[in-house]
Amino acid sequence: MSVELWGAEPPRDCPLCPRLVAYRQANAAQHPDWWNGPAPSFGDPAARLLVAGLAPGRTGANRTGRPFTGDHAGWMLYDTLAKTGFANDRFDARTDDGLELTDCMITNAVRCAPPGNKPETSEENTCRQFLTKRLEDLPNLKVIVTLGDVSRRNVLKALGLKASAGLPGHGTEFHAGPYVILNSYHCSRLNTNTGRLTAEMFEAVFRRARALLDA
């Protein structure tokens, strides 16, 4: 079935990636109370800022059904969004916490949790149709923050550009079509625990996004 029929969000039982479907079903057998499906985008449909992650974590969005909710990465992301005026500071790692985003939406390049947190290239390619449609369906979009190099490459490809069209690395900034791309290291536990990404480094990216939108 084509994305034209589904829109920007895959159905809960999306069948497109056999390995991810099998992993989803294995998780559902062990934890039938979890979400265990593609994690839908979350946020403001009038957003000028899009935050693009890589894929749901097994015990994060795969469990809760909301991006960056239920695992370590969400605490840093939503705290930073609140500090920079894109969220209402109600994040408590639960979908009933009252969290709301303003002028911001969060999505993932791959919508289903992959084994080992590593999607295969074929899965990125298959799921990219939803990222492309997500970008098209944000009429006010101006700035995209990509979390990690895989996200950066997928966003560029979703825009019809080469993956090499924008420089990798934390803090890089470049234009891609009508948008400004700001790239950050991913706010994973590994990156924050090792000091590769600090709260100050991460916040600086979103303060730059705020400055671009307020200019």
Side-chain angles (χ1 to χ4, degrees), residues 23 37-40 53-63 66-68 71 108-115 117-118:
Y23 190 56
L54 171 55
R58 176 180 177 271
T59 60
N62 178 68
R63 176 171 62 85
R66 190 175 72 185
F68 291 88
D71 53 14
N108 279 304
V110 175
R111 301 300 182 83
C112 290
N117 292 320
K118 294 181 179 180

Side-chain angles (χ1 to χ4, degrees), residues 29-210:
Q30 291 182 339
H31 303 281
D33 57 324
W34 288 7
W35 174 259
N36 294 314
S41 306
F42 168 66
D44 185 350
R48 294 180 296 163
L49 171 66
L50 179 69
V51 180
L54 171 55
R58 176 180 177 271
T59 60
N62 178 68
R63 176 171 62 85
T64 64
R66 190 175 72 185
F68 291 88
T69 300
D71 53 14
H72 170 82
W75 291 101
M76 176 177 273
L77 175 59
Y78 287 117
D79 180 63
T80 301
L81 291 174
K83 287 180 178 178
T84 49
F86 295 109
N88 64 349
D89 200 18
R90 294 287 300 276
F91 179 70
D92 197 26
R94 308 188 319 270
T95 56
D96 62 350
D97 54 12
L99 175 69
E100 295 181 359
L101 302 186
T102 301
D103 208 13
C104 175
M105 180 173 283
I106 300 173
T107 195
N108 279 304
V110 175
R111 301 300 182 83
C112 290
N117 292 320
K118 294 181 179 180
E120 295 180 346
T121 301
S122 61
E123 293 159 352
E124 295 176 30
N125 293 340
T126 298
C127 207
R128 191 173 302 123
Q129 58 184 311
F130 301 110
L131 180 58
T132 298
K133 195 67 168 63
R134 181 73 277 161
L135 292 166
E136 292 174 354
D137 284 359
L138 290 173
N140 302 319
L141 183 62
K142 296 183 181 298
V143 178
I144 304 170
V145 171
T146 54
L147 302 182
D149 201 45
V150 175
S151 171
R152 178 192 63 84
R153 294 197 307 266
N154 274 278
V155 166
L156 287 170
K157 289 180 179 180
L159 292 171
L161 302 171
K162 293 183 178 180
S164 59
L167 293 174
H170 182 83
T172 56
E173 176 179 333
F174 52 89
H175 284 83
Y179 311 119
V180 176
I181 308 290
L182 303 175
N183 193 48
S184 171
Y185 292 146
H186 195 283
C187 49
S188 65
R189 184 184 296 273
L190 176 63
N191 283 342
T192 57
N193 282 355
T194 60
R196 186 169 189 249
L197 179 68
T198 66
E200 291 76 18
M201 291 168 61
F202 197 55
E203 188 174 323
V205 172
F206 287 89
R207 292 208 177 279
R208 176 57 179 160
R210 171 55 68 193

